[in-house]
Amino acid sequence: MIEVSNLSVSFGSGEARRQVVKGVSFVVGKGETLGIVGESGCGKSTVLRSLAGLDRHWEGEIRLAGNAVDRERSREQLKLAQMVFQDPYGSIHPRHRIERVLAEPARAMKIGDGWSRVAPSLEQVGLPANFAERFPHELSGGQRQRVAIARALMLEPEILLLDEPTSALDVSVQAEVLNLLSDLREERNLTYVLVSHDLSVIAHMCDRVLVMKDGAFVDELDKGALEQGQTHHPYSKQLFKASFL
Amino acid sequence: MPAPETVLSVRNLAVRFGRSKLRAVDGVSLDLGTERLGIVGESGSGKSTLGRAIMRLLPNAAHVEAATLDFDGKPLLTRPEREMRTLRGNRMALIMQDPRYSLNPVLSVGKQVAEAALLHGKIGKKEAYAKAADMLARVRIADVERVMSLYPHQISGGMGQRVMIAMMLLAKPRLVVADEPTSALDVSVRGDVLNLLDELVRENNSGLMLISHDIRMVAAFCQRILVMYKGRVVETLTRLDEAQHPYTRGLIAAMPDPRNPVQRLQTLDRRAIDALEARS
Amino acid sequence: MSLVTSASAGSKPGILLARIGRSLKNALIKLSREPVGLFGFIVLLLLIIVAILAPLIAPYSPTTQNLPNALQAPSWEHWAGTDEYGRDILSRLIYGTRITIQTVLAVSVIVGPIGMLVGIVAGFVGGRTDAILMRFTDIVLSFPSLILALSFAAALGAGLETAIIAISLTGWPPIARLARAETLIVRNTDYVAAARLYGASPLRVLFLYIAPMCIPSVVVRLTLNMAGIILTAAALGFLGLGAQPPAPEWGAMISSGRQYMLDNWWVAVMPGIAILLTSLAFNLVGDALRDILDPRHARS
């Protein structure tokens, strides 16, 4: 579903040029969930933003669903992958009602009027249909994140890119959102890339985890290795130790 | 462990904001000795309000009432603000989530720590500077000289938290309230900061109140845990597996645990908890 | 662009009306907690009513001269006294509200959209466009507004229209800067990033995502500006470059009353009070609007 080869991202120019992602390659199969774990500034979010098409400084090759995508995405290419952001308070326009938030993707893409699909999509993420009338500030953080997930699914992408989707939420709300994401994955056979600093969230959601440090992957762990805490690199070992005191 | 002497004694503490009838903190009682006490709850549970109420750092709109609020055997609520200010600098300390907001942004780190040294020991400027460098080395800051010349916005969160702890090592507070001290930090430095905090309170024989949403982290670090829900303490634990209250159990079950994988995470049945709370 | 269709979201006008009603009610509730702002709103409301109903309220004609009655002190017959031509000052003030409100509205309608467009485009497009637009804004901003207005009035001939144009020309740069600053913040938010991900065109982002976030602060700024506009208009009138006699413009009234001021205080003081009260009301309303529209400035 996703093939990335030799992806590099640099910011700035001349003396100040800094390579944030250093030639990483990975493959994610259809229906698989890949986790990327690392500390702040390791480049994990940059990888995700390059996959989504938000960062245009990348070099290398990205193939989504078999098609190589450009730095400047066409509408067809944008439909392949959508993103859920970390902060549910900042990712929804504060002056748009929920119905507009959910109708916008279809309207912006000029496919249908969008309004008619608001109610079913709210229901799909477990929110009552009358939420369409509300403004974001009338919703709790967890409810907003549900709306953000519903919005990302409006264009029916096959890939969902999740940037720390629960780190701003309370534990119990986090559990609800993670369950919702698992259900949706099953229902729609979605492919996820989940970026997080929280190893326990990653371990719960993912089939495979890449450990990132200073712009490169240093370790790869599968489900079994995660359960038993087997690591192949001192950094991931340290990360494991710190995560489970 | 020596017999814990009481640092802080609270009976029936309640906090209301403005004209609202709703209590953000409702009838909380606790005793804190020279120990590590954890306070756990979700956002809106009143845990941060409790910490600030004890330090009397809440805005004027907040009404704080308590049958007893004694610090070191003397009541806190009746003290004038000026006395509180000296008390907060010396005898009690607050560590916040992002230390870069609690440091003075226009003074270099070294100056601030040296100032703390000047304030607490009757020493000269040069000595204070040397002492500050000592303390920063003690909190395991590698490149002390360089760090001392940096300004708060130039240092990382973990470094900032260390600087805060270094300043407290000088002040030797009796009570340390740490409000989510590690949640803005990277996982790998969390352990270090907690260990430093532990050293700090052991060395000064002081009491630590650790406020956090992360029940596992608190359980690993603290001797006692108070679980708060909607402004009230629902349960006091020493170990997680003692948890009886459905809220505490729900919180623990909601956390994903890689050593014990599940298909679906458990979610809180808030209605059942509220019903139970209403009865008690 | 589908700015209009946003209203059709509810598909029924009933829902739309209910929503407007709800927003109005919320605004009123907030306003009732701000007694000073409420006072400003009431003064403004009165001013507008007076302007509309001027012929019905004014006891005398504002322009008919009555020389035997010249320079009468305030009395029950002439509440604010009469001027050097025997015209009732109160009636002239009442008709003057029309000129003042006309000036303020005209300037705001010109300045608001221009400033916002320049600011939003500069902030959103960035790069060279931003540099050129903002340097141009800086140049205009460095002109002293009254002097520029003076030269304009001198070049185009004195009159209310020239005054409006002159004030507008120097009035838009602050709005543009404000809109640009706001745009720079909004441009980098996650909701704009999300909009780019679902293929929203730049125009769509500009009008549906960025503009709505700029409008509240621009409205507040405009309202606060209105006080300045009134003062500048009065100053131009005073210098004889605004509305021309016998039009009852407040600044012009002070100007013509100047030579009689020492013996007949009311000739200058009455229009002065009108100017003071009106600009004060606009300032109060601006402050209140900031608290209502902009949660970041909310008082704790």
Side-chain angles (χ1 to χ4, degrees):
Chain A
M1 203 66 215
I2 305 173
E3 291 164 62
V4 174
S5 43
N6 219 0
L7 177 77
S8 297
V9 188
S10 305
F11 292 119
S13 56
E15 286 280 296
R17 192 174 168 87
R18 215 161 44 84
Q19 200 172 9
V20 183
V21 179
K22 298 167 183 161
V24 299
S25 307
F26 59 93
V27 178
V28 190
K30 188 161 177 59
E32 197 191 2
T33 298
L34 175 77
I36 302 179
V37 72
E39 304 199 321
S40 54
C42 73
K44 57 186 195 301
S45 287
T46 311
V47 170
L48 205 67
R49 291 172 76 87
S50 305
L51 279 179
L54 282 175
D55 256 320
R56 287 167 194 168
H57 304 278
W58 54 272
E59 282 155 49
E61 196 187 30
I62 299 178
R63 297 174 79 85
L64 301 178
N67 315 305
V69 291
D70 312 314
R71 275 174 202 86
E72 191 76 42
R73 301 278 161 95
S74 68
R75 288 202 160 145
E76 285 311 308
Q77 291 173 345
L78 281 172
K79 271 189 219 167
L80 294 171
Q82 289 286 311
M83 187 159 160
V84 176
F85 295 86
Q86 171 176 12
D87 177 14
Y89 294 87
S91 65
I92 299 178
H93 198 289
R95 290 181 190 275
H96 286 175
R97 284 178 203 275
I98 301 307
E99 60 183 1
R100 168 162 287 277
V101 172
L102 293 178
E104 270 296 292
R107 296 178 65 78
M109 282 274 184
K110 303 208 166 58
I111 40 171
D113 75 334
W115 303 117
S116 56
R117 287 163 56 200
V118 170
S121 72
L122 275 173
E123 192 188 340
Q124 190 185 18
V125 293
L127 293 175
N130 64 7
F131 270 43
E133 282 278 300
R134 300 202 183 176
F135 279 108
H137 65 84
E138 297 168 303
L139 268 57
S140 70
Q143 289 166 341
R144 285 183 210 215
Q145 204 58 307
R146 282 168 190 265
V147 170
I149 292 168
R151 175 180 65 187
L153 291 174
M154 277 314 243
L155 297 175
E156 293 173 352
E158 294 181 72
I159 301 164
L160 212 51
L161 306 167
L162 307 162
D163 187 5
E164 308 248 14
T166 58
S167 65
L169 305 176
D170 271 324
V171 203
S172 63
V173 182
Q174 163 174 293
E176 289 166 16
V177 171
L178 291 181
N179 283 344
L180 172 68
L181 285 170
S182 308
D183 294 347
L184 288 170
R185 177 176 55 190
E186 215 158 293
E187 257 167 53
R188 300 186 161 216
N189 197 17
L190 292 167
T191 306
Y192 287 165
V193 178
L194 170 65
V195 155
S196 178
H197 68 276
D198 188 338
L199 207 52
S200 56
V201 168
I202 292 252
H204 170 70
M205 290 293 291
C206 302
D207 307 311
R208 203 150 52 85
V209 179
L210 294 169
V211 181
M212 198 165 183
K213 185 176 195 279
D214 297 333
F217 296 133
V218 296
D219 201 351
E220 178 174 341
L221 308 165
D222 60 15
K223 200 121 198 160
L226 279 169
E227 270 168 42
Q228 280 140 35
Q230 286 172 353
T231 51
H232 318 100
H233 189 276
Y235 178 69
S236 32
K237 189 170 186 178
Q238 186 197 343
L239 216 57
F240 252 84
K241 242 180 83 190
S243 298
F244 311 112
L245 287 170
Chain B
M1 269 238 22
E5 37 184 324
T6 313
V7 176
L8 184 76
S9 171
V10 181
R11 289 287 171 278
N12 245 330
L13 180 80
V15 181
R16 274 186 311 117
F17 283 101
R19 276 172 239 155
S20 163
K21 284 267 181 297
L22 222 72
R23 288 184 175 149
V25 175
D26 190 3
V28 170
S29 303
L30 62 92
D31 283 302
L32 177 71
T34 53
E35 60 176 333
R36 288 157 303 183
L37 172 70
I39 303 208
V40 174
E42 294 190 285
S43 53
S45 63
K47 57 186 194 302
S48 292
T49 312
L50 172 67
R52 283 180 167 65
I54 287 169
M55 307 226 20
R56 291 210 18 220
L57 278 172
L58 289 172
N60 287 334
H63 305 282
V64 184
E65 288 158 19
T68 319
L69 179 54
D70 285 358
F71 171 65
D72 257 354
K74 283 176 221 125
L76 272 183
L77 277 179
T78 49
R79 294 201 195 188
E81 181 54 33
R82 219 179 56 221
E83 227 171 280
M84 280 308 296
R85 228 172 290 147
T86 31
L87 207 59
R88 279 197 288 261
N90 297 303
R91 309 287 295 145
M92 49 210 307
L94 177 69
I95 301 182
M96 290 194 287
Q97 186 171 4
D98 194 333
R100 281 164 288 188
Y101 294 120
S102 16
L103 293 168
N104 185 344
V106 296
L107 280 182
S108 70
V109 166
K111 270 220 177 95
Q112 293 190 49
V113 183
E115 208 140 280
L118 267 179
L119 216 68
H120 297 290
K122 290 177 183 52
I123 46 176
K125 261 207 173 135
K126 229 181 197 151
E127 268 175 278
Y129 205 76
K131 198 158 183 201
D134 267 1
M135 286 302 148
L136 286 174
R138 272 219 40 205
V139 293
R140 292 189 276 272
I141 286 178
D143 196 355
V144 173
E145 274 303 310
R146 194 180 62 88
V147 172
M148 283 180 87
S149 64
L150 294 177
Y151 287 87
H153 67 269
Q154 294 169 310
I155 59 178
S156 69
M159 186 86 82
Q161 228 44 311
R162 282 164 214 245
V163 172
M164 286 298 287
I165 293 173
M167 284 164 75
M168 271 163 218
L169 282 169
L170 288 162
K172 300 193 193 326
R174 188 92 171 103
L175 167 69
V176 179
V177 177
D179 191 354
E180 303 272 8
T182 58
S183 51
L185 307 182
D186 271 329
V187 203
S188 59
V189 284
R190 281 182 192 180
D192 289 349
V193 167
L194 286 178
N195 286 338
L196 280 174
L197 261 179
D198 185 35
E199 257 175 55
L200 163 81
V201 293
R202 271 175 206 277
E203 183 173 314
N204 297 333
N205 204 20
S206 45
L208 171 71
M209 214 165 131
L210 180 68
I211 300 170
S212 174
H213 67 278
D214 188 342
I215 194 165
R216 266 196 228 137
M217 187 263 279
V218 171
F221 183 70
C222 294
Q223 291 144 316
R224 265 193 316 144
I225 311 163
L226 256 58
V227 184
M228 282 185 79
Y229 179 67
K230 291 200 172 165
R232 298 164 59 153
V233 175
V234 294
E235 192 163 30
T236 308
L237 306 168
T238 49
R239 286 156 50 95
L240 279 193
D241 27 2
E242 288 172 3
Q244 291 296 320
H245 198 279
Y247 176 69
T248 322
R249 289 175 157 228
L251 268 191
I252 299 167
M255 296 184 91
D257 185 346
R259 286 158 296 195
N260 182 18
V262 285
Q263 267 306 309
R264 290 180 63 86
L265 295 164
Q266 276 192 43
T267 52
L268 278 183
D269 186 354
R270 285 169 198 280
R271 219 172 293 161
I273 296 168
D274 286 341
L276 183 78
E277 276 296 288
R279 261 187 287 135
S280 64
Chain C
M1 287 315 303
S2 53
L3 282 171
V4 189
T5 48
S6 65
S8 73
S11 71
K12 282 172 234 130
I15 294 179
L16 196 69
L17 274 179
R19 278 184 188 173
I20 293 174
R22 227 181 308 153
S23 320
L24 260 179
K25 200 175 139 199
N26 281 340
L28 279 178
I29 290 173
K30 279 187 195 163
L31 192 61
S32 65
R33 292 195 201 118
E34 307 247 354
V36 182
L38 192 64
F39 170 74
F41 267 105
I42 290 171
V43 170
L44 274 195
L45 207 67
L46 280 179
L47 218 63
I48 291 167
I49 293 172
V50 164
I52 294 170
L53 302 179
L56 298 177
I57 298 172
Y60 302 88
S61 155
T63 45
T64 311
Q65 302 189 359
N66 184 0
L67 289 174
N69 239 346
L71 298 171
Q72 300 272 321
S75 64
W76 283 113
E77 236 165 291
H78 299 282
W79 287 6
T82 61
D83 67 2
E84 69 274 21
Y85 299 112
R87 295 173 295 197
D88 178 48
I89 291 184
L90 181 66
S91 303
R92 285 178 68 73
L93 289 180
I94 288 173
Y95 274 91
T97 52
R98 291 185 150 187
I99 297 177
T100 304
I101 288 184
Q102 199 184 329
T103 317
V104 163
L105 280 186
V107 170
S108 299
V109 164
I110 299 172
V111 160
I114 292 181
M116 229 172 106
L117 198 69
V118 171
I120 292 181
V121 169
F124 185 64
V125 179
R128 196 167 294 170
T129 317
D130 181 29
I132 293 171
L133 282 176
M134 287 333 280
R135 287 307 77 72
F136 180 59
T137 310
D138 287 342
I139 291 170
V140 179
L141 200 61
S142 64
F143 285 141
S145 65
L146 194 61
I147 307 280
L148 189 78
L150 273 178
S151 54
F152 251 86
L156 297 176
L160 188 60
E161 291 77 21
T162 359
I164 290 174
I165 295 173
I167 298 173
S168 305
L169 268 179
T170 52
W172 63 267
I175 307 279
R177 282 195 161 180
L178 185 73
R180 177 175 174 269
E182 205 82 15
T183 305
L184 286 180
I185 297 170
V186 175
R187 191 178 71 165
N188 290 325
T189 54
D190 282 350
Y191 53 83
V192 169
R196 275 169 49 208
L197 278 187
Y198 47 71
S201 63
L203 268 184
R204 196 181 182 85
V205 172
L206 213 61
F207 283 101
L208 277 176
Y209 291 79
I210 295 180
M213 297 306 288
C214 296
I215 286 172
S217 46
V218 167
V219 166
V220 168
R221 184 64 202 242
L222 274 179
T223 319
L224 290 171
N225 264 4
M226 286 177 183
I229 293 169
I230 291 172
L231 294 178
T232 315
L236 283 176
F238 180 81
L239 294 169
L241 295 168
Q244 293 302 304
E249 206 274 326
W250 294 346
M253 284 170 72
I254 298 184
S255 163
S256 62
R258 193 177 36 180
Q259 38 190 314
Y260 313 100
M261 200 163 65
L262 290 180
D263 303 316
N264 314 91
W265 55 269
W266 58 91
V267 191
V269 168
M270 291 301 174
I273 292 176
I275 294 172
L276 179 85
L277 209 64
T278 317
S279 54
L280 179 71
F282 272 114
N283 263 330
L284 295 179
V285 168
D287 273 338
L289 273 183
R290 169 158 48 204
D291 292 344
I292 292 173
L293 293 177
D294 201 345
R296 273 173 300 177
H297 293 256
R299 290 178 199 160
S300 52

